[in-house]
mmCIF file of all heavy atoms in Angstrom:
data_model
loop_
_atom_site.group_PDB
_atom_site.id
_atom_site.type_symbol
_atom_site.label_atom_id
_atom_site.label_comp_id
_atom_site.label_asym_id
_atom_site.label_seq_id
_atom_site.Cartn_x
_atom_site.Cartn_y
_atom_site.Cartn_z
ATOM 1 N N LEU A 11 -25.508 -14.917 12.961
ATOM 2 C CA LEU A 11 -25.252 -14.748 11.529
ATOM 3 C C LEU A 11 -23.862 -15.249 11.261
ATOM 4 O O LEU A 11 -22.882 -14.507 11.469
ATOM 5 C CB LEU A 11 -25.453 -13.247 11.198
ATOM 6 C CG LEU A 11 -25.233 -12.959 9.667
ATOM 7 C CD1 LEU A 11 -26.326 -13.657 8.880
ATOM 8 C CD2 LEU A 11 -25.339 -11.497 9.470
ATOM 9 N N PRO A 12 -23.697 -16.481 10.748
ATOM 10 C CA PRO A 12 -22.354 -16.971 10.490
ATOM 11 C C PRO A 12 -21.759 -16.134 9.318
ATOM 12 O O PRO A 12 -22.438 -15.836 8.378
ATOM 13 C CB PRO A 12 -22.603 -18.429 10.087
ATOM 14 C CG PRO A 12 -24.013 -18.525 9.746
ATOM 15 C CD PRO A 12 -24.776 -17.441 10.429
ATOM 16 N N ILE A 13 -20.516 -15.882 9.422
ATOM 17 C CA ILE A 13 -19.774 -15.185 8.395
ATOM 18 C C ILE A 13 -19.099 -16.236 7.520
ATOM 19 O O ILE A 13 -18.288 -17.024 7.968
ATOM 20 C CB ILE A 13 -18.735 -14.219 9.001
ATOM 21 C CG1 ILE A 13 -19.413 -13.151 9.785
ATOM 22 C CG2 ILE A 13 -17.887 -13.599 7.873
ATOM 23 C CD1 ILE A 13 -18.479 -12.244 10.570
ATOM 24 N N ARG A 14 -19.445 -16.238 6.227
ATOM 25 C CA ARG A 14 -18.925 -17.281 5.310
ATOM 26 C C ARG A 14 -18.026 -16.717 4.227
ATOM 27 O O ARG A 14 -17.401 -17.444 3.449
ATOM 28 C CB ARG A 14 -20.120 -17.972 4.610
ATOM 29 C CG ARG A 14 -21.066 -18.653 5.542
ATOM 30 C CD ARG A 14 -20.458 -19.933 6.137
ATOM 31 N NE ARG A 14 -21.367 -20.599 6.997
ATOM 32 C CZ ARG A 14 -21.097 -20.967 8.238
ATOM 33 N NH1 ARG A 14 -19.940 -20.646 8.756
ATOM 34 N NH2 ARG A 14 -21.979 -21.564 8.980
ATOM 35 N N ALA A 15 -17.965 -15.345 4.190
ATOM 36 C CA ALA A 15 -17.065 -14.696 3.220
ATOM 37 C C ALA A 15 -16.522 -13.459 3.750
ATOM 38 O O ALA A 15 -17.086 -12.884 4.740
ATOM 39 C CB ALA A 15 -17.892 -14.405 1.913
ATOM 40 N N THR A 16 -15.411 -13.010 3.222
ATOM 41 C CA THR A 16 -14.776 -11.792 3.649
ATOM 42 C C THR A 16 -13.956 -11.176 2.489
ATOM 43 O O THR A 16 -13.617 -11.852 1.542
ATOM 44 C CB THR A 16 -13.835 -12.015 4.861
ATOM 45 O OG1 THR A 16 -13.483 -10.708 5.460
ATOM 46 C CG2 THR A 16 -12.592 -12.837 4.507
ATOM 47 N N PHE A 17 -13.668 -9.899 2.669
ATOM 48 C CA PHE A 17 -12.805 -9.175 1.733
ATOM 49 C C PHE A 17 -11.359 -9.411 2.173
ATOM 50 O O PHE A 17 -11.024 -9.437 3.368
ATOM 51 C CB PHE A 17 -13.046 -7.752 1.723
ATOM 52 C CG PHE A 17 -14.299 -7.377 0.935
ATOM 53 C CD1 PHE A 17 -15.430 -6.893 1.494
ATOM 54 C CD2 PHE A 17 -14.286 -7.446 -0.492
ATOM 55 C CE1 PHE A 17 -16.580 -6.540 0.773
ATOM 56 C CE2 PHE A 17 -15.409 -7.152 -1.200
ATOM 57 C CZ PHE A 17 -16.527 -6.666 -0.606
ATOM 58 N N LEU A 18 -10.480 -9.506 1.183
ATOM 59 C CA LEU A 18 -9.001 -9.398 1.381
ATOM 60 C C LEU A 18 -8.652 -8.023 0.914
ATOM 61 O O LEU A 18 -8.840 -7.677 -0.258
ATOM 62 C CB LEU A 18 -8.238 -10.451 0.548
ATOM 63 C CG LEU A 18 -8.550 -11.930 0.817
ATOM 64 C CD1 LEU A 18 -7.852 -12.790 -0.264
ATOM 65 C CD2 LEU A 18 -8.105 -12.273 2.243
ATOM 66 N N ASP A 19 -8.102 -7.216 1.778
ATOM 67 C CA ASP A 19 -7.655 -5.872 1.354
ATOM 68 C C ASP A 19 -6.189 -6.067 0.835
ATOM 69 O O ASP A 19 -5.342 -6.475 1.576
ATOM 70 C CB ASP A 19 -7.695 -4.910 2.549
ATOM 71 C CG ASP A 19 -7.452 -3.455 2.093
ATOM 72 O OD1 ASP A 19 -6.943 -3.276 0.975
ATOM 73 O OD2 ASP A 19 -7.832 -2.618 2.839
ATOM 74 N N GLU A 20 -6.042 -5.780 -0.416
ATOM 75 C CA GLU A 20 -4.744 -5.924 -1.018
ATOM 76 C C GLU A 20 -3.817 -4.837 -0.568
ATOM 77 O O GLU A 20 -2.705 -4.706 -1.077
ATOM 78 C CB GLU A 20 -4.828 -6.068 -2.550
ATOM 79 C CG GLU A 20 -4.741 -4.861 -3.383
ATOM 80 C CD GLU A 20 -5.548 -3.629 -2.938
ATOM 81 O OE1 GLU A 20 -6.509 -3.691 -2.260
ATOM 82 O OE2 GLU A 20 -5.054 -2.550 -3.336
ATOM 83 N N ILE A 21 -4.217 -4.116 0.424
ATOM 84 C CA ILE A 21 -3.446 -3.128 1.144
ATOM 85 C C ILE A 21 -2.855 -2.016 0.320
ATOM 86 O O ILE A 21 -1.709 -1.646 0.458
ATOM 87 C CB ILE A 21 -2.402 -3.785 2.076
ATOM 88 C CG1 ILE A 21 -1.526 -4.781 1.359
ATOM 89 C CG2 ILE A 21 -3.057 -4.400 3.255
ATOM 90 C CD1 ILE A 21 -0.602 -5.534 2.217
ATOM 91 N N SER A 22 -3.674 -1.400 -0.535
ATOM 92 C CA SER A 22 -3.157 -0.304 -1.332
ATOM 93 C C SER A 22 -3.782 1.015 -0.905
ATOM 94 O O SER A 22 -3.421 2.064 -1.452
ATOM 95 C CB SER A 22 -3.458 -0.508 -2.821
ATOM 96 O OG SER A 22 -4.885 -0.487 -3.025
ATOM 97 N N TRP A 23 -4.656 0.979 0.055
ATOM 98 C CA TRP A 23 -5.368 2.263 0.413
ATOM 99 C C TRP A 23 -4.841 2.811 1.756
ATOM 100 O O TRP A 23 -4.168 3.809 1.790
ATOM 101 C CB TRP A 23 -6.878 2.026 0.420
ATOM 102 C CG TRP A 23 -7.624 3.254 0.756
ATOM 103 C CD1 TRP A 23 -8.338 3.521 1.893
ATOM 104 C CD2 TRP A 23 -7.678 4.510 0.027
ATOM 105 N NE1 TRP A 23 -8.865 4.783 1.900
ATOM 106 C CE2 TRP A 23 -8.452 5.402 0.764
ATOM 107 C CE3 TRP A 23 -7.132 4.917 -1.175
ATOM 108 C CZ2 TRP A 23 -8.773 6.671 0.312
ATOM 109 C CZ3 TRP A 23 -7.396 6.222 -1.583
ATOM 110 C CH2 TRP A 23 -8.193 7.077 -0.861
ATOM 111 N N ASP A 24 -5.225 2.153 2.814
ATOM 112 C CA ASP A 24 -4.968 2.791 4.143
ATOM 113 C C ASP A 24 -4.059 1.954 5.018
ATOM 114 O O ASP A 24 -3.931 2.228 6.210
ATOM 115 C CB ASP A 24 -6.262 3.085 4.879
ATOM 116 C CG ASP A 24 -7.187 1.888 5.029
ATOM 117 O OD1 ASP A 24 -6.797 0.788 4.548
ATOM 118 O OD2 ASP A 24 -8.217 2.007 5.617
ATOM 119 N N ILE A 25 -3.494 0.926 4.503
ATOM 120 C CA ILE A 25 -2.570 0.087 5.284
ATOM 121 C C ILE A 25 -1.242 0.043 4.585
ATOM 122 O O ILE A 25 -1.259 0.044 3.308
ATOM 123 C CB ILE A 25 -3.151 -1.396 5.379
ATOM 124 C CG1 ILE A 25 -4.513 -1.379 6.036
ATOM 125 C CG2 ILE A 25 -2.201 -2.302 6.160
ATOM 126 C CD1 ILE A 25 -5.223 -2.692 5.920
ATOM 127 N N PRO A 26 -0.101 0.107 5.266
ATOM 128 C CA PRO A 26 1.167 0.058 4.532
ATOM 129 C C PRO A 26 1.223 -1.056 3.523
ATOM 130 O O PRO A 26 0.918 -2.218 3.829
ATOM 131 C CB PRO A 26 2.174 -0.115 5.667
ATOM 132 C CG PRO A 26 1.508 0.488 6.896
ATOM 133 C CD PRO A 26 0.051 0.160 6.735
ATOM 134 N N HIS A 27 1.635 -0.743 2.351
ATOM 135 C CA HIS A 27 1.542 -1.700 1.247
ATOM 136 C C HIS A 27 2.442 -2.906 1.418
ATOM 137 O O HIS A 27 3.631 -2.787 1.770
ATOM 138 C CB HIS A 27 1.925 -0.947 -0.056
ATOM 139 C CG HIS A 27 1.642 -1.720 -1.286
ATOM 140 N ND1 HIS A 27 0.370 -2.157 -1.596
ATOM 141 C CD2 HIS A 27 2.468 -2.092 -2.276
ATOM 142 C CE1 HIS A 27 0.443 -2.771 -2.750
ATOM 143 N NE2 HIS A 27 1.667 -2.742 -3.213
ATOM 144 N N GLN A 28 1.843 -4.066 1.205
ATOM 145 C CA GLN A 28 2.588 -5.344 1.159
ATOM 146 C C GLN A 28 3.299 -5.606 2.530
ATOM 147 O O GLN A 28 4.411 -6.084 2.546
ATOM 148 C CB GLN A 28 3.566 -5.340 0.051
ATOM 149 C CG GLN A 28 3.086 -4.753 -1.188
ATOM 150 C CD GLN A 28 2.624 -5.831 -2.176
ATOM 151 O OE1 GLN A 28 2.578 -6.968 -1.866
ATOM 152 N NE2 GLN A 28 2.231 -5.404 -3.349
ATOM 153 N N ASN A 29 2.592 -5.332 3.628
ATOM 154 C CA ASN A 29 3.284 -5.455 4.871
ATOM 155 C C ASN A 29 3.318 -6.905 5.495
ATOM 156 O O ASN A 29 3.938 -7.084 6.527
ATOM 157 C CB ASN A 29 2.676 -4.514 5.901
ATOM 158 C CG ASN A 29 1.217 -4.772 6.171
ATOM 159 O OD1 ASN A 29 0.566 -5.515 5.455
ATOM 160 N ND2 ASN A 29 0.693 -4.152 7.233
ATOM 161 N N TRP A 30 2.667 -7.844 4.897
ATOM 162 C CA TRP A 30 2.683 -9.210 5.362
ATOM 163 C C TRP A 30 3.403 -10.064 4.312
ATOM 164 O O TRP A 30 3.260 -9.867 3.098
ATOM 165 C CB TRP A 30 1.290 -9.744 5.527
ATOM 166 C CG TRP A 30 0.665 -9.409 6.821
ATOM 167 C CD1 TRP A 30 1.123 -8.663 7.859
ATOM 168 C CD2 TRP A 30 -0.589 -9.960 7.287
ATOM 169 N NE1 TRP A 30 0.230 -8.594 8.847
ATOM 170 C CE2 TRP A 30 -0.812 -9.413 8.561
ATOM 171 C CE3 TRP A 30 -1.567 -10.793 6.772
ATOM 172 C CZ2 TRP A 30 -1.956 -9.684 9.322
ATOM 173 C CZ3 TRP A 30 -2.703 -11.096 7.492
ATOM 174 C CH2 TRP A 30 -2.876 -10.551 8.751
ATOM 175 N N GLY A 31 4.063 -11.125 4.813
ATOM 176 C CA GLY A 31 4.667 -12.085 3.964
ATOM 177 C C GLY A 31 3.870 -13.356 3.870
ATOM 178 O O GLY A 31 2.695 -13.432 4.454
ATOM 179 N N PRO A 32 4.297 -14.342 3.133
ATOM 180 C CA PRO A 32 3.499 -15.581 2.932
ATOM 181 C C PRO A 32 3.132 -16.294 4.227
ATOM 182 O O PRO A 32 2.003 -16.841 4.370
ATOM 183 C CB PRO A 32 4.468 -16.479 2.127
ATOM 184 C CG PRO A 32 5.371 -15.520 1.440
ATOM 185 C CD PRO A 32 5.549 -14.359 2.390
ATOM 186 N N HIS A 33 3.962 -16.257 5.222
ATOM 187 C CA HIS A 33 3.635 -16.964 6.509
ATOM 188 C C HIS A 33 2.508 -16.311 7.232
ATOM 189 O O HIS A 33 1.639 -16.936 7.822
ATOM 190 C CB HIS A 33 4.866 -17.112 7.362
ATOM 191 C CG HIS A 33 5.964 -17.905 6.708
ATOM 192 N ND1 HIS A 33 5.858 -19.252 6.472
ATOM 193 C CD2 HIS A 33 7.173 -17.495 6.214
ATOM 194 C CE1 HIS A 33 6.961 -19.702 5.868
ATOM 195 N NE2 HIS A 33 7.783 -18.653 5.693
ATOM 196 N N GLU A 34 2.521 -14.963 7.283
ATOM 197 C CA GLU A 34 1.443 -14.202 7.900
ATOM 198 C C GLU A 34 0.166 -14.416 7.187
ATOM 199 O O GLU A 34 -0.914 -14.630 7.799
ATOM 200 C CB GLU A 34 1.751 -12.716 8.029
ATOM 201 C CG GLU A 34 2.957 -12.382 8.958
ATOM 202 C CD GLU A 34 4.297 -12.509 8.308
ATOM 203 O OE1 GLU A 34 4.412 -12.761 7.114
ATOM 204 O OE2 GLU A 34 5.315 -12.365 9.043
ATOM 205 N N TRP A 35 0.144 -14.387 5.864
ATOM 206 C CA TRP A 35 -1.078 -14.567 5.098
ATOM 207 C C TRP A 35 -1.558 -16.069 5.284
ATOM 208 O O TRP A 35 -2.747 -16.291 5.364
ATOM 209 C CB TRP A 35 -0.854 -14.288 3.641
ATOM 210 C CG TRP A 35 -0.976 -12.807 3.323
ATOM 211 C CD1 TRP A 35 0.065 -11.948 2.966
ATOM 212 C CD2 TRP A 35 -2.118 -12.005 3.503
ATOM 213 N NE1 TRP A 35 -0.405 -10.703 2.818
ATOM 214 C CE2 TRP A 35 -1.758 -10.662 3.128
ATOM 215 C CE3 TRP A 35 -3.450 -12.238 3.841
ATOM 216 C CZ2 TRP A 35 -2.668 -9.623 3.128
ATOM 217 C CZ3 TRP A 35 -4.367 -11.175 3.822
ATOM 218 C CH2 TRP A 35 -3.926 -9.911 3.496
ATOM 219 N N ASP A 36 -0.618 -17.009 5.356
ATOM 220 C CA ASP A 36 -0.997 -18.428 5.544
ATOM 221 C C ASP A 36 -1.753 -18.562 6.890
ATOM 222 O O ASP A 36 -2.768 -19.214 6.989
ATOM 223 C CB ASP A 36 0.205 -19.313 5.492
ATOM 224 C CG ASP A 36 -0.172 -20.786 5.587
ATOM 225 O OD1 ASP A 36 -1.016 -21.249 4.792
ATOM 226 O OD2 ASP A 36 0.442 -21.481 6.452
ATOM 227 N N ARG A 37 -1.219 -17.940 7.915
ATOM 228 C CA ARG A 37 -1.903 -18.011 9.224
ATOM 229 C C ARG A 37 -3.253 -17.382 9.184
ATOM 230 O O ARG A 37 -4.241 -17.903 9.724
ATOM 231 C CB ARG A 37 -1.018 -17.319 10.327
ATOM 232 C CG ARG A 37 0.161 -18.187 10.704
ATOM 233 C CD ARG A 37 0.857 -17.732 11.995
ATOM 234 N NE ARG A 37 1.366 -16.377 11.916
ATOM 235 C CZ ARG A 37 2.596 -16.080 11.546
ATOM 236 N NH1 ARG A 37 3.404 -17.010 11.143
ATOM 237 N NH2 ARG A 37 2.971 -14.796 11.515
ATOM 238 N N ASP A 38 -3.382 -16.233 8.423
ATOM 239 C CA ASP A 38 -4.665 -15.542 8.269
ATOM 240 C C ASP A 38 -5.675 -16.417 7.513
ATOM 241 O O ASP A 38 -6.798 -16.579 7.931
ATOM 242 C CB ASP A 38 -4.520 -14.230 7.611
ATOM 243 C CG ASP A 38 -5.631 -13.251 7.766
ATOM 244 O OD1 ASP A 38 -6.149 -13.194 8.951
ATOM 245 O OD2 ASP A 38 -6.074 -12.662 6.834
ATOM 246 N N PHE A 39 -5.268 -17.047 6.438
ATOM 247 C CA PHE A 39 -6.161 -17.919 5.693
ATOM 248 C C PHE A 39 -6.566 -19.154 6.538
ATOM 249 O O PHE A 39 -7.733 -19.567 6.518
ATOM 250 C CB PHE A 39 -5.530 -18.439 4.384
ATOM 251 C CG PHE A 39 -5.721 -17.517 3.203
ATOM 252 C CD1 PHE A 39 -5.114 -16.232 3.111
ATOM 253 C CD2 PHE A 39 -6.575 -17.887 2.189
ATOM 254 C CE1 PHE A 39 -5.325 -15.395 2.044
ATOM 255 C CE2 PHE A 39 -6.827 -17.057 1.126
ATOM 256 C CZ PHE A 39 -6.194 -15.806 1.048
ATOM 257 N N HIS A 40 -5.629 -19.710 7.270
ATOM 258 C CA HIS A 40 -5.923 -20.812 8.099
ATOM 259 C C HIS A 40 -6.953 -20.409 9.213
ATOM 260 O O HIS A 40 -7.932 -21.142 9.483
ATOM 261 C CB HIS A 40 -4.624 -21.313 8.790
ATOM 262 C CG HIS A 40 -4.823 -22.459 9.731
ATOM 263 N ND1 HIS A 40 -4.879 -23.742 9.318
ATOM 264 C CD2 HIS A 40 -5.010 -22.516 11.091
ATOM 265 C CE1 HIS A 40 -5.068 -24.580 10.317
ATOM 266 N NE2 HIS A 40 -5.172 -23.856 11.440
ATOM 267 N N ALA A 41 -6.808 -19.250 9.796
ATOM 268 C CA ALA A 41 -7.765 -18.798 10.810
ATOM 269 C C ALA A 41 -9.112 -18.565 10.187
ATOM 270 O O ALA A 41 -10.160 -18.918 10.786
ATOM 271 C CB ALA A 41 -7.241 -17.496 11.468
ATOM 272 N N MET A 42 -9.171 -17.996 8.976
ATOM 273 C CA MET A 42 -10.427 -17.752 8.319
ATOM 274 C C MET A 42 -11.108 -19.058 8.052
ATOM 275 O O MET A 42 -12.332 -19.186 8.292
ATOM 276 C CB MET A 42 -10.211 -16.972 7.022
ATOM 277 C CG MET A 42 -9.882 -15.500 7.213
ATOM 278 S SD MET A 42 -9.884 -14.549 5.669
ATOM 279 C CE MET A 42 -8.361 -15.056 4.898
ATOM 280 N N LYS A 43 -10.381 -20.032 7.551
ATOM 281 C CA LYS A 43 -11.012 -21.326 7.231
ATOM 282 C C LYS A 43 -11.538 -22.000 8.509
ATOM 283 O O LYS A 43 -12.641 -22.560 8.527
ATOM 284 C CB LYS A 43 -9.997 -22.262 6.563
ATOM 285 C CG LYS A 43 -10.531 -23.560 6.092
ATOM 286 C CD LYS A 43 -11.592 -23.354 5.010
ATOM 287 C CE LYS A 43 -12.030 -24.686 4.479
ATOM 288 N NZ LYS A 43 -12.984 -24.618 3.392
ATOM 289 N N ASP A 44 -10.763 -21.897 9.615
ATOM 290 C CA ASP A 44 -11.186 -22.472 10.857
ATOM 291 C C ASP A 44 -12.462 -21.850 11.394
ATOM 292 O O ASP A 44 -13.236 -22.533 12.032
ATOM 293 C CB ASP A 44 -10.057 -22.325 11.935
ATOM 294 C CG ASP A 44 -9.018 -23.397 11.792
ATOM 295 O OD1 ASP A 44 -9.132 -24.294 10.977
ATOM 296 O OD2 ASP A 44 -8.001 -23.289 12.527
ATOM 297 N N MET A 45 -12.686 -20.604 11.095
ATOM 298 C CA MET A 45 -13.950 -19.923 11.597
ATOM 299 C C MET A 45 -15.078 -20.058 10.641
ATOM 300 O O MET A 45 -16.103 -19.479 10.836
ATOM 301 C CB MET A 45 -13.681 -18.516 11.999
ATOM 302 C CG MET A 45 -13.243 -17.598 10.871
ATOM 303 S SD MET A 45 -12.940 -15.864 11.440
ATOM 304 C CE MET A 45 -11.398 -16.021 12.294
ATOM 305 N N GLY A 46 -14.880 -20.859 9.550
ATOM 306 C CA GLY A 46 -15.994 -21.088 8.620
ATOM 307 C C GLY A 46 -16.065 -20.218 7.392
ATOM 308 O O GLY A 46 -17.047 -20.317 6.655
ATOM 309 N N ILE A 47 -15.072 -19.450 7.167
ATOM 310 C CA ILE A 47 -15.098 -18.601 5.964
ATOM 311 C C ILE A 47 -14.638 -19.445 4.737
ATOM 312 O O ILE A 47 -13.557 -20.063 4.814
ATOM 313 C CB ILE A 47 -14.179 -17.408 6.131
ATOM 314 C CG1 ILE A 47 -14.773 -16.413 7.134
ATOM 315 C CG2 ILE A 47 -13.945 -16.664 4.741
ATOM 316 C CD1 ILE A 47 -13.922 -15.251 7.518
ATOM 317 N N GLY A 48 -15.418 -19.500 3.759
ATOM 318 C CA GLY A 48 -15.100 -20.345 2.539
ATOM 319 C C GLY A 48 -14.938 -19.517 1.282
ATOM 320 O O GLY A 48 -14.590 -20.065 0.284
ATOM 321 N N THR A 49 -15.170 -18.183 1.342
ATOM 322 C CA THR A 49 -15.010 -17.363 0.210
ATOM 323 C C THR A 49 -14.251 -16.076 0.574
ATOM 324 O O THR A 49 -14.548 -15.458 1.567
ATOM 325 C CB THR A 49 -16.429 -16.915 -0.319
ATOM 326 O OG1 THR A 49 -17.140 -18.134 -0.695
ATOM 327 C CG2 THR A 49 -16.311 -16.030 -1.529
ATOM 328 N N VAL A 50 -13.221 -15.770 -0.262
ATOM 329 C CA VAL A 50 -12.491 -14.583 -0.050
ATOM 330 C C VAL A 50 -12.526 -13.759 -1.364
ATOM 331 O O VAL A 50 -12.514 -14.307 -2.479
ATOM 332 C CB VAL A 50 -11.007 -14.904 0.331
ATOM 333 C CG1 VAL A 50 -10.947 -15.406 1.722
ATOM 334 C CG2 VAL A 50 -10.299 -15.809 -0.665
ATOM 335 N N VAL A 51 -12.704 -12.464 -1.193
ATOM 336 C CA VAL A 51 -12.822 -11.563 -2.264
ATOM 337 C C VAL A 51 -11.749 -10.498 -2.159
ATOM 338 O O VAL A 51 -11.687 -9.752 -1.215
ATOM 339 C CB VAL A 51 -14.206 -10.838 -2.261
ATOM 340 C CG1 VAL A 51 -14.339 -9.883 -3.483
ATOM 341 C CG2 VAL A 51 -15.355 -11.861 -2.287
ATOM 342 N N MET A 52 -10.826 -10.489 -3.106
ATOM 343 C CA MET A 52 -9.790 -9.457 -3.149
ATOM 344 C C MET A 52 -10.470 -8.153 -3.539
ATOM 345 O O MET A 52 -10.960 -8.006 -4.661
ATOM 346 C CB MET A 52 -8.641 -9.773 -4.088
ATOM 347 C CG MET A 52 -7.476 -8.828 -3.937
ATOM 348 S SD MET A 52 -6.041 -9.282 -4.941
ATOM 349 C CE MET A 52 -6.683 -8.986 -6.563
ATOM 350 N N ILE A 53 -10.538 -7.199 -2.639
ATOM 351 C CA ILE A 53 -11.353 -5.981 -2.829
ATOM 352 C C ILE A 53 -10.964 -5.206 -4.041
ATOM 353 O O ILE A 53 -11.812 -4.544 -4.661
ATOM 354 C CB ILE A 53 -11.342 -5.130 -1.535
ATOM 355 C CG1 ILE A 53 -12.536 -4.148 -1.581
ATOM 356 C CG2 ILE A 53 -10.021 -4.487 -1.345
ATOM 357 C CD1 ILE A 53 -12.849 -3.521 -0.283
ATOM 358 N N ARG A 54 -9.701 -5.200 -4.444
ATOM 359 C CA ARG A 54 -9.275 -4.566 -5.678
ATOM 360 C C ARG A 54 -7.871 -5.100 -5.964
ATOM 361 O O ARG A 54 -7.133 -5.487 -5.095
ATOM 362 C CB ARG A 54 -9.280 -3.038 -5.562
ATOM 363 C CG ARG A 54 -8.273 -2.508 -4.645
ATOM 364 C CD ARG A 54 -8.355 -0.980 -4.446
ATOM 365 N NE ARG A 54 -9.488 -0.554 -3.666
ATOM 366 C CZ ARG A 54 -9.502 -0.588 -2.309
ATOM 367 N NH1 ARG A 54 -8.475 -1.091 -1.623
ATOM 368 N NH2 ARG A 54 -10.492 -0.108 -1.687
ATOM 369 N N SER A 55 -7.483 -5.059 -7.280
ATOM 370 C CA SER A 55 -6.180 -5.535 -7.629
ATOM 371 C C SER A 55 -5.149 -4.406 -7.600
ATOM 372 O O SER A 55 -3.979 -4.622 -7.815
ATOM 373 C CB SER A 55 -6.225 -6.156 -9.037
ATOM 374 O OG SER A 55 -6.783 -5.302 -9.935
ATOM 375 N N GLY A 56 -5.647 -3.205 -7.392
ATOM 376 C CA GLY A 56 -4.771 -2.046 -7.288
ATOM 377 C C GLY A 56 -5.662 -0.805 -7.213
ATOM 378 O O GLY A 56 -6.841 -0.789 -7.536
ATOM 379 N N LEU A 57 -5.023 0.252 -6.768
ATOM 380 C CA LEU A 57 -5.652 1.578 -6.618
ATOM 381 C C LEU A 57 -4.638 2.614 -6.932
ATOM 382 O O LEU A 57 -3.561 2.666 -6.304
ATOM 383 C CB LEU A 57 -6.189 1.767 -5.214
ATOM 384 C CG LEU A 57 -6.805 3.155 -5.001
ATOM 385 C CD1 LEU A 57 -8.165 3.277 -5.813
ATOM 386 C CD2 LEU A 57 -7.201 3.341 -3.491
#
């Protein structure tokens, strides 16, 4: 079952808020694209 989409946790619930910078997120998006993910869903804009 190939994974083509994933949630982006905007990190307001159970992860320290805003703990990654642009370079870490860039590496994460690059890795997601490399593994075939073409859709990202920001799970919420705030909580």
Side-chain angles (χ1 to χ4, degrees):
L11 182 64
I13 297 172
R14 301 287 182 234
T16 192
F17 282 110
L18 298 172
D19 190 342
E20 92 314 335
I21 51 186
S22 65
W23 180 248
D24 57 358
I25 302 171
H27 192 55
Q28 317 263 5
N29 61 348
W30 275 6
H33 298 292
E34 292 84 5
W35 279 113
D36 185 52
R37 285 194 299 270
D38 198 43
F39 271 73
H40 181 83
M42 288 187 285
K43 185 66 176 184
D44 279 355
M45 65 181 71
I47 292 174
T49 300
V50 290
V51 180
M52 189 173 69
I53 197 163
R54 69 184 74 78
S55 54
L57 178 66

